[in-house]
Amino acid sequence: MTVYNKHKNPALASDRNSFELLESGEQYFPAVFAAIGDARREIFIETFILFDDAIGRALQRQLISAARRGVYVDLTIDGYGSPDLPQSFVQPLVSAGVRLHIFDPRPRLFGLRTNIFRRLHRKIVVIDATIAYVGGINYATDQLADNKPNGKLDFAVRICGPLVADIHSFASRQAQLFTNHNRRWQRAARHDRHAIQRDASEFVTRDNHDHRNDIERRYRAAIHAARTEITICNAYFFPGYHLLRALRRATRRGVRVNLILQGTPDMPAVKMWEKLLYAHLLRAGITIFEYLPHPLHAKIAVIDQHWSTVGSSNLDPLSLSMNLEANVVIRDPHFNQVLRTRLQHIMDHDCQVVGITGEPQRRSIWEPLRQMLVYHLTRRFPKWAGWLPAHVPELHSIDRSRHITRRLEEVADSRSSQ
């Protein structure tokens, strides 16, 4: 039996693909930086957050070094998640030849970010079309779990084998969308046909046009097929009605359903929304574990012996109805055993069980009304979310001739005025 080891986790093979589970920044950053250092032809990176901190500057140095030795480097960041990169950070990248793109950059209004919806939330790395990384880990020091109290627990997967070709094809096509400055995302994305499936494992994305619910459908199909156990570890858990119903029906079939949710959330509102579902979930026979050591940022699941997923998609309205997301669905019993062992350790040692120590047993007279409200919210929010926002996100590129764009200057001006 394969045993998970936090400090040494060998790649596991399935159908000529190999998968290596990476936990938080402590394992992820050294692996990605080493792969960038070995790159010879091309590097594609998409990330939601890139900060000008120790981790962000380490990535900057690696990309500059790769570009200077002739490697094609394409970096895409989100305008909401990475809004305050200074000129001193951006200019060395583009001067070295890194192609830097910003998804939907917008100026602040009264000091507040206005590009709240439809974020580029994917976290993808593809190197030389031979190695890929997919997960939920951003480039920031708070992704180091040992950086307490704010360090986050998260996961990614390192992939080698035929599946990398699918991820590379997707990443390279996305990069081509940035050829023209200010190209509209809606216009470009409609030509993207990237849902490539394989018998063993697959790369699955979500967008707001052709693939609105691909990730959620993979979850629901796996839940419907579950026979013994479902364990979902998700940072922001407020899914739609259909997924909740699938979990409830699984418990009726005798499937053990475990949810690992935030116990010490990075945003207090997260806990409030999740708790609206607690009574409903507990009465359905679902076991809820709250992760306590520090904020939980993971987006992973394991079902039975052969299905798991690692990626960027939360199970909340933003990820399921608005954001651009990417997950890997892995159908491999060996990788599942590694992931299951790690999640079992987390449940046994790092969580409190809600309903025994964390949830009052006495129901208030208002609970039926609250449950009805939650029912309708979860059933209707995908349709409502499709109405927002009215604007079409833009793709903006920064090249050598324009080290800092007008939009970045607006961000810097608004930052200095605060």
Side-chain angles (χ1 to χ4, degrees), residues 250-371:
T251 63
R252 292 174 183 170
R253 299 194 305 270
V255 178
R256 180 185 176 187
V257 179
N258 303 313
L259 298 178
I260 305 174
L261 308 178
Q262 293 207 48
T264 54
D266 51 351
M267 294 183 291
V270 171
K271 192 78 170 287
M272 179 190 72
W273 281 100
E274 288 181 347
K275 281 200 166 185
L276 288 175
L277 298 175
Y278 275 14
H280 174 77
L281 296 169
L282 292 170
R283 287 200 301 272
I286 296 170
T287 306
I288 302 174
F289 298 84
E290 289 187 338
Y291 180 77
L292 298 176
H294 38 80
L296 177 70
H297 198 249
K299 307 98 167 53
I300 57 178
V302 59
I303 297 178
D304 290 348
Q305 303 299 316
H306 59 275
W307 191 97
S308 60
T309 187
V310 180
S312 67
S313 181
N314 293 298
L315 295 176
D316 71 347
L318 284 176
S319 283
L320 296 178
S321 300
M322 298 186 191
N323 290 345
L324 312 182
E325 306 284 0
N327 275 39
V328 174
V329 171
I330 302 171
R331 296 179 175 91
D332 175 78
H334 300 294
F335 182 85
N336 273 29
Q337 183 59 48
V338 169
L339 186 55
R340 179 181 293 103
T341 300
R342 181 57 184 144
L343 291 179
Q344 189 63 55
H345 180 88
I346 289 172
M347 289 186 287
D348 291 342
H349 299 282
D350 298 323
C351 296
Q352 71 175 5
V353 181
V354 174
I356 298 176
T357 61
E359 178 75 11
Q361 296 297 309
R362 186 170 60 87
R363 297 177 62 188
S364 72
I365 61 174
W366 297 105
E367 186 167 323
L369 179 62
R370 184 183 70 173
Q371 292 302 306

Side-chain angles (χ1 to χ4, degrees), residues 7 33 45-46 52 71 89 107 203 215 252 281 324 357 373:
H7 302 289
F33 294 165
I45 298 179
E46 289 188 0
D52 182 20
V71 177
F89 186 95
F203 177 65
I215 293 175
R252 292 174 183 170
L281 296 169
L324 312 182
T357 61
L373 174 63

Side-chain angles (χ1 to χ4, degrees), residues 17-314:
N17 287 308
S18 65
F19 305 97
E20 181 180 359
L21 183 66
L22 301 172
E23 181 173 332
S24 297
E26 283 81 356
Q27 293 185 354
Y28 182 74
F29 297 138
V32 170
F33 294 165
I36 293 173
D38 292 336
R40 292 296 174 262
R41 299 189 303 278
E42 60 182 11
I43 299 169
F44 294 100
I45 298 179
E46 289 188 0
T47 186
F48 178 58
I49 290 175
L50 173 59
F51 285 163
D52 182 20
D53 60 13
I55 296 301
R57 289 188 291 272
L59 176 64
Q60 179 205 48
R61 290 192 296 270
Q62 290 287 343
L63 296 181
I64 289 173
S65 176
R68 286 177 175 170
R69 65 176 184 267
V71 177
Y72 175 90
V73 181
D74 196 285
L75 170 64
T76 303
I77 62 177
D78 182 74
Y80 179 90
S82 309
D84 297 324
L85 289 178
Q87 183 172 354
S88 60
F89 186 95
V90 174
Q91 182 169 340
L93 285 167
V94 295
S95 296
V98 175
R99 288 168 51 88
L100 176 61
H101 317 294
I102 305 174
F103 180 83
D104 205 24
R106 292 184 177 271
R108 295 183 185 236
L109 180 64
F110 303 112
L112 300 175
R113 287 174 286 182
T114 57
N115 47 354
I116 299 174
F117 302 111
R118 309 210 187 287
R119 308 169 187 173
L120 176 72
H121 199 242
R122 297 187 293 252
K123 291 89 175 177
I124 301 170
V125 179
V126 189
I127 297 175
D128 290 346
T130 59
I131 302 172
Y133 298 83
V134 178
I137 301 175
N138 294 295
Y139 296 94
T141 55
D142 66 4
Q143 296 278 190
L144 296 165
D146 291 338
N147 186 17
K148 297 179 180 178
N150 298 318
K152 297 178 173 65
L153 175 69
D154 208 340
F155 295 87
V157 61
R158 179 183 185 269
I159 307 158
C160 294
L163 186 60
V164 176
D166 297 348
I167 306 172
H168 174 264
S169 176
F170 171 81
S172 61
R173 286 202 306 276
Q174 294 302 300
Q176 292 173 10
L177 300 179
F178 296 95
T179 301
N180 298 325
H181 294 297
N182 296 324
R183 179 173 292 186
R184 292 286 189 170
W185 173 256
Q186 183 179 26
R187 180 180 175 184
R190 284 177 176 168
H191 298 286
D192 182 27
R193 305 291 186 208
H194 58 264
I196 301 173
Q197 300 184 18
R198 293 189 178 277
D199 291 339
S201 301
E202 57 181 327
F203 177 65
V204 187
T205 62
R206 190 216 162 265
D207 60 40
N208 292 305
H209 301 285
D210 300 319
H211 307 282
R212 294 174 181 268
N213 61 355
D214 287 16
I215 293 175
E216 183 181 3
R217 284 194 294 109
R218 298 308 193 280
Y219 264 101
R220 284 162 47 192
I223 292 169
H224 286 311
R227 292 294 175 264
T228 58
E229 184 177 3
I230 299 168
T231 300
I232 296 174
C233 180
N234 205 271
Y236 306 108
F237 186 84
F238 199 82
Y241 166 77
H242 295 292
L243 197 147
L244 288 175
R245 182 178 62 182
L247 291 174
R248 186 172 65 247
R249 288 178 173 178
T251 63
R252 292 174 183 170
R253 299 194 305 270
V255 178
R256 180 185 176 187
V257 179
N258 303 313
L259 298 178
I260 305 174
L261 308 178
Q262 293 207 48
T264 54
D266 51 351
M267 294 183 291
V270 171
K271 192 78 170 287
M272 179 190 72
W273 281 100
E274 288 181 347
K275 281 200 166 185
L276 288 175
L277 298 175
Y278 275 14
H280 174 77
L281 296 169
L282 292 170
R283 287 200 301 272
I286 296 170
T287 306
I288 302 174
F289 298 84
E290 289 187 338
Y291 180 77
L292 298 176
H294 38 80
L296 177 70
H297 198 249
K299 307 98 167 53
I300 57 178
V302 59
I303 297 178
D304 290 348
Q305 303 299 316
H306 59 275
W307 191 97
S308 60
T309 187
V310 180
S312 67
S313 181
N314 293 298

